[in-house]
Each structure stands twice: as structure tokens, then as C-alpha cells.
Amino acid sequence: MPIDINEDRKLRLIWCKYQNALVDHELSRKIHWKKNTLDEWEQVRRDLESQRRKELYETRKMIRAEKAELREQREEEHKRVLSRRRQDRLERKKAQEASPPPLRRSARVHSKTSNDPLASYKRGSMYTKTA
């Protein structure tokens, strides 16, 4: 199964590190060919690639475990928030059922009918009482 190196930055860094090592190793191919030691050169290349794959698999496993843990934490937090909202909604509903709805009264009527000397029509009227 291929590894998506764009899944995380760590995977990309590992890939680039080994890719640079393989490019440097590729430059020494002509020298090994002249010395007739291409088998050794090929073995070093295989070792580098196997190390890269091993490190990528280990890192990917670690990253996926971290992501799964983070996902579980987010789900738990989401459940807590939902339960808190549900509880608040039930409390508000009980509070509404317990008390009668408030009477609607306009500010103009309130200012005319109240005995409070500071009551005034507060909606931009020019008739404001000052005490």
C-alpha cells in the first residue's frame, strides 16, 4: 500500500531526507561501475530505501494514533457541549413554564401611568421628565 507523504509534514521531511541521500548515492554509480562493484552500490541503495520505508511506516503509525486520539478528544468535547446545551435548554424551558409571561407595555404608556418621577418616554420623545 503506498504511503501518502502529504499526509503530514513529518512524513514529507523523512521522504526528502532519504531522497537527498539517494540522489547523492546515485552520483557515485559511475565510480562503482568502473570499479565493478555495482552489487555493493545496489545493496546500499536497497538499504537506504528499506530504512526510508521503515521510518515512514513507523512515523505514519504514530501520526495516525495522534490524530485518532485528537479526534476522540474532539468528539468527547462535542458531546459535553451538546449535553450542556440540552441541559440549559431544559432549564430555560422549566423557568418559562414556572413564571407567567411578562406583560407587554410600551415605554410611552409606562411613563404616563407610573408614579416614578424618573420614568420617561425613552424612545426619542421631547417629553422627558427630569426630577
Side-chain angles (χ1 to χ4, degrees), residues 7-8 16 19 54 62 67-68 81 87 96 104 109 119:
E7 186 176 346
D8 193 68
C16 290
Q19 192 64 28
K54 182 179 176 185
M62 182 182 64
K67 285 184 179 181
V81 168
Q87 187 67 27
Q96 281 181 348
R104 292 189 51 155
V109 171

Side-chain angles (χ1 to χ4, degrees), residues 3-13 15-16 56 63 67:
I3 295 178
D4 182 19
I5 60 173
N6 294 321
E7 186 176 346
D8 193 68
R9 181 168 174 78
K10 293 175 187 175
L11 293 175
R12 173 64 87 169
L13 290 174
W15 177 269
C16 290
L56 283 173
I63 289 169
K67 285 184 179 181

Side-chain angles (χ1 to χ4, degrees), residues 23-119:
V23 167
D24 292 341
H25 182 65
E26 184 70 32
L27 295 176
S28 68
R29 187 166 191 265
K30 286 184 180 180
I31 296 169
H32 284 278
W33 183 74
K34 287 180 182 178
K35 291 181 181 179
N36 202 14
T37 57
L38 280 178
D39 293 337
E40 294 172 11
W41 181 86
E42 186 68 28
Q43 185 60 39
V44 171
R45 186 181 62 80
R46 279 193 217 118
D47 291 342
L48 283 172
E49 288 179 354
S50 66
Q51 287 174 358
R52 174 172 60 182
R53 278 193 301 273
K54 182 179 176 185
E55 196 170 337
L56 283 173
Y57 281 122
E58 290 172 358
T59 307
R60 185 177 71 165
K61 189 183 296 184
M62 182 182 64
I63 289 169
R64 287 190 175 177
E66 290 173 359
K67 285 184 179 181
E69 184 179 327
L70 183 64
R71 190 179 318 114
E72 288 176 6
Q73 289 176 352
R74 286 181 184 162
E75 288 175 1
E76 290 174 6
E77 181 64 26
H78 183 66
K79 287 179 182 178
R80 277 198 298 268
V81 168
L82 287 178
S83 66
R84 197 175 326 134
R85 285 182 187 170
R86 193 176 303 119
Q87 187 67 27
D88 290 345
R89 190 180 318 120
L90 290 174
E91 290 175 4
R92 282 194 309 266
K93 192 173 183 180
K94 286 180 183 177
Q96 281 181 348
E97 291 173 357
S99 65
L103 294 175
R104 292 189 51 155
R105 182 175 252 183
S106 70
R108 181 180 59 82
V109 171
H110 178 69
S111 67
K112 289 184 176 181
T113 59
S114 80
N115 293 330
D116 184 15
L118 296 178

